[in-house]
Amino acid sequence: MKILVTGGAGFIGSALVRRLLETSEDEVVVVDNFTYAANPASILPLEADARFRIARMDIADRDRIFGLFEVEQPDAVMHLAAESHVDRSIMDTTPFIETNVIGTHVLLEAARAHWNKFKGAAREQFRFLHVSTDEVYGSLGETGAFSETTPYDPSSPYSASKAASDHLV
């Protein structure tokens, strides 16, 4: 199986990539733009593994993402890439819209075009996993818990952009 992991150089993404390589025979292609949130040191040691590759690109770059799907022919996408941090989103919303909304849209369109080429079992087995944030549900307060049935209540440009990406997915 070949898995594209977006945001694979981030804190959570790199842990996922390491885990996939340690516990499976899967090939892993990290798609990351290596912005402020990336930590190249967390994945560069993995380059010695023949099952691991890095594709340095912006997920909102339609031509490059469609080309990546064409070259890599993934069996699954694990979409963790996101602009995050509430304070940064208040200062400038543009990167949040471009990555979280447009980037997710581009990935979905590329995945759909790729999936449409499949037949039979490959089509049934293809997966697109989107990782969100609890912040789409608003503030929790002192007690309680969110669930998938909690109404959306984003309260920052960051959480609104993640809520938008959730709704696209």
Side-chain angles (χ1 to χ4, degrees), residues 115-147:
W115 178 78
N116 279 332
K117 296 175 187 175
F118 287 148
K119 304 283 188 238
R123 189 172 202 164
E124 293 296 319
Q125 294 170 1
F126 182 82
R127 293 291 181 262
F128 187 105
L129 172 72
H130 170 72
V131 176
S132 188
T133 176
D134 66 336
E135 293 191 43
V136 299
Y137 301 117
S139 298
L140 186 58
E142 300 270 334
T143 62
F146 295 129
S147 74

Side-chain angles (χ1 to χ4, degrees), residues 22-109:
E22 288 169 4
T23 63
S24 76
E25 297 300 317
D26 297 335
E27 293 180 61
V28 178
V29 180
V30 165
V31 182
D32 205 294
N33 207 19
F34 289 87
T35 63
Y36 71 95
N39 180 5
S42 66
I43 60 168
L44 289 179
L46 303 174
E47 286 186 313
D49 190 322
R51 298 172 299 137
F52 174 77
R53 284 181 296 295
I54 298 172
R56 184 178 190 144
M57 65 182 67
D58 184 342
I59 62 170
D61 186 331
R62 183 180 174 86
D63 291 340
R64 292 195 68 204
I65 292 296
F66 271 73
L68 181 68
F69 272 78
E70 197 61 37
V71 168
E72 293 295 346
Q73 298 290 310
D75 302 296
V77 177
M78 300 179 88
H79 177 34
L80 286 78
E83 288 291 332
S84 60
H85 304 293
V86 171
D87 292 345
R88 289 183 65 251
S89 75
I90 293 167
M91 298 300 293
D92 182 9
T93 61
T94 303
F96 293 81
I97 300 305
E98 289 173 350
T99 299
N100 300 350
V101 181
I102 296 171
T104 298
H105 177 258
V106 167
L107 285 167
L108 285 168
E109 289 299 308

